Amino acid sequence: MLKLRLWPRSLFGRNLLLLLGLIAIAQMSTIVLYVLLQRPRVMEVAQLVATQVNVLDAALSQVPATDRDAYVARLNRAGALSAQLTEPPPDNFAYRTPLADLFIREVRRNLAKGITLRMTNTPQLSIWAYLNISGERYWIKFPVNALVPYRWLTSALVLWLSLALSAALGALLIQRRINRPLRDIANAAQNVGSGARHARLPTYDASELAIVAKQFNAMLDNLEEMESSRTVMLAGISHDIRSPLAKLRLTLALDKHASELPVGQYIDQIDAIIGQFIDFGRVGSDERIVEGELNALVEELASGFAKRGHVFALRLEPLPVWPFRPIAMMRLVQNLMENAVKYAGVGLEVHTYMERDNAVLAVLDAGPGLAEGDEARLLQPFTRGDVGRSNTSGSGLGLAIVDRVARLHGGRLQLIRRHPTGMEARVTFSLVPSPADTASAAL
């Protein structure tokens, strides 16, 4: 199904639109009922008024001519009706509505022949009928109560505006009640994503929200249990495997013939692979976030590589201080640099710079580069490249660890082929809140 382009994304906008739609339906129903009920009533009243005027005209026409003046004088003294021979002001009734126009048309249509109806509002609202009194035509003024000027369009707009404001207020009140648990859920989810495991949701009174909170808290309990089991397992692997390796290394050191074999190198490789497994399982999600300088971390690691004979050309542009997990970030940078040394060894370079609101870390080399399609494949765990890298050893977890650490910090790892040869490993970190963070802060 096609989504409506004008359908708002926020719950407040949707609630407001739904309330306005309900008001519009109610208004249309009111208008329809008003027309269906009021129109017949107005026509009935108009016919009744026209009948009474016709009866009055017939009765006045039977007054004897000799008594006409006295009758007119008595009629004027009574005050209920007034009669005059002079013509009243022209028809200039200004406060008409559709129903008022219908009433006037219906009265005039049902008046007897020769009777004229006129409505004026100067000096005050009056209704005049041209009636026959003993063969002489008189203008009879009927009493009309003072009417408040009524402009139906203005009143309708004011009514619509009042209802719209009421709908907006209702949507705001509804949304405020929804926003509080949504804000709690968003903050708890953000804390879980940043490594916190103790952000529980409160117990809500509403049954639907209580179910959500219960399931969310149960999920956190499962995550904590899995985290605890993983920590115990990693500690056991580190102890149970590395202890025999340490004893084997000591035994080989005491054997004078062991130096002739590359056994020590194999042990180091096994130890490094175990370390990568442990790093991949740990990743650093439970590490405390602190403010740090990425350039200082790069310089420190580059100095260590230089002592080993692998010199990196550094192009470090100014970067702001921003929060990250220092040990996890050190693993990220070190793994990228280790990959460049291991698989290339030439053209080593580290470049940091700002790109709009993003901090970018790029590790470049001039080695064999990437095979076609390796850009995404090498980010998977236990995957190694095929071009010019068959003589290297490892578990294939280095870039997978980098990718997980980058995503843990809201970043993204890209592997880019350079021309004519070489590879660029680029990690982009966003230094501004994500839309989800902004939305949760606005709740």
Side-chain angles (χ1 to χ4, degrees):
M1 297 178 63
L2 295 177
K3 293 184 178 180
L4 296 177
R5 293 183 178 180
L6 299 181
W7 189 248
R9 296 176 60 88
S10 65
L11 288 176
F12 174 76
R14 294 181 180 183
N15 288 337
L16 178 58
L17 192 61
L18 288 175
L19 289 175
L20 290 178
L22 292 176
I23 291 175
I25 294 174
Q27 285 295 306
M28 293 300 297
S29 302
T30 302
I31 293 173
V32 171
L33 292 176
Y34 185 72
V35 171
L36 292 178
L37 294 178
Q38 291 296 96
R39 183 182 177 86
R41 291 185 59 188
V42 168
M43 295 181 68
E44 291 177 2
V45 172
Q47 292 173 4
L48 178 61
V49 170
T51 300
Q52 292 177 346
V53 172
N54 291 337
V55 171
L56 180 61
D57 179 71
L60 293 178
S61 64
Q62 301 300 319
V63 174
T66 56
D67 298 335
R68 181 175 56 206
D69 293 339
Y71 188 84
V72 170
R74 189 164 59 251
L75 187 66
N76 289 334
R77 285 197 303 271
L81 300 176
S82 62
Q84 65 183 42
L85 292 173
T86 58
E87 187 173 345
D91 195 347
N92 61 351
F93 181 55
Y95 304 117
R96 291 183 177 177
T97 65
L99 290 180
D101 287 336
L102 175 64
F103 174 79
I104 295 171
R105 290 197 306 269
E106 196 64 22
V107 170
R108 285 174 174 168
R109 189 175 66 84
N110 290 277
L111 289 176
K113 186 177 180 180
I115 299 178
T116 303
L117 188 69
R118 183 177 295 181
M119 299 188 68
T120 64
N121 60 350
T122 53
Q124 62 182 5
L125 181 62
S126 305
I127 298 179
W128 299 82
Y130 200 40
L131 302 181
N132 178 17
I133 302 179
S134 303
E136 184 75 25
R137 289 286 178 177
Y138 281 81
W139 285 100
I140 306 297
K141 184 173 74 170
F142 293 86
V144 177
N145 294 330
L147 298 178
V148 177
Y150 176 74
R151 300 188 182 275
W152 67 274
L153 180 59
T154 303
S155 300
L157 291 177
V158 171
L159 177 61
W160 271 91
L161 181 60
S162 302
L163 292 175
L165 292 176
S166 300
L169 180 60
L172 180 61
L173 294 177
I174 294 173
Q175 195 60 32
R176 284 178 63 87
R177 295 184 61 85
I178 298 175
N179 278 353
R180 187 174 301 169
L182 287 180
R183 183 176 59 247
D184 294 340
I185 294 173
N187 291 336
Q190 185 178 12
N191 291 334
V192 171
S194 62
R197 290 287 188 268
H198 303 287
R200 293 297 191 274
L201 291 178
T203 302
Y204 299 105
D205 295 332
S207 59
E208 297 86 355
L209 295 175
I211 292 174
V212 173
K214 181 179 179 181
Q215 295 297 326
F216 188 88
N217 292 336
M219 180 192 70
L220 292 184
D221 292 336
N222 292 333
L223 287 176
E224 285 188 352
E225 184 177 355
M226 293 171 59
E227 183 73 19
S228 178
S229 300
R230 186 181 67 175
T231 302
V232 173
M233 182 186 67
L234 291 175
I237 291 175
S238 177
H239 178 270
D240 295 343
I241 296 181
R242 282 179 166 170
S243 293
L245 287 177
K247 294 178 182 179
L248 181 58
R249 185 181 288 109
L250 179 60
T251 302
L252 292 174
L254 297 176
D255 189 350
K256 61 180 180 179
H257 301 291
S259 59
E260 302 174 359
L261 301 174
V263 180
Q265 180 181 353
Y266 297 150
I267 294 177
D268 292 338
Q269 290 178 2
I270 294 173
D271 189 64
I273 291 173
I274 293 173
Q276 282 197 328
F277 273 99
I278 294 175
D279 287 344
F280 182 75
R282 186 179 294 119
V283 175
S285 59
D286 55 348
E287 184 185 356
R288 183 168 173 265
I289 299 176
V290 297
E291 298 280 340
E293 295 184 5
L294 183 58
N295 285 343
L297 183 60
V298 172
E299 290 176 346
E300 180 181 351
L301 291 173
S303 176
F305 277 95
K307 293 177 181 179
R308 293 162 46 190
H310 307 293
V311 179
F312 282 82
L314 302 182
R315 289 189 294 140
L316 308 180
E317 299 181 10
L319 295 179
V321 176
W322 56 287
F324 56 78
R325 297 168 176 83
I327 297 178
M329 190 64 65
M330 182 188 66
R331 290 195 188 110
L332 181 148
V333 179
Q334 186 171 11
N335 280 1
L336 291 179
M337 297 174 74
E338 286 282 2
N339 270 12
V341 170
K342 183 187 299 183
Y343 297 122
V346 293
L348 304 178
E349 182 180 349
V350 179
H351 185 197
T352 61
Y353 57 94
M354 288 295 298
E355 188 177 67
R356 294 187 293 274
D357 294 323
N358 301 321
V360 180
L361 167 71
V363 178
L364 306 94
D365 63 59
L370 295 171
E372 187 71 28
D374 274 359
E375 293 88 343
R377 188 178 67 86
L378 291 179
L379 300 183
Q380 301 301 320
F382 311 107
T383 303
R384 296 171 56 199
D386 299 326
V387 178
R389 302 186 178 190
S390 58
N391 295 326
T392 58
S393 62
S395 62
L397 290 175
L399 291 177
I401 293 174
V402 172
D403 184 53
R404 291 187 64 178
V405 173
R407 287 188 285 109
L408 185 65
H409 290 82
R412 183 168 63 103
L413 170 63
Q414 294 174 282
L415 302 182
I416 304 171
R417 288 188 294 171
R418 301 178 67 193
H419 297 285
T421 60
M423 185 189 80
E424 175 185 354
R426 181 186 302 170
V427 185
T428 304
F429 300 99
S430 177
L431 302 187
V432 296
S434 64
D437 296 337
T438 305
S440 65
L443 295 177

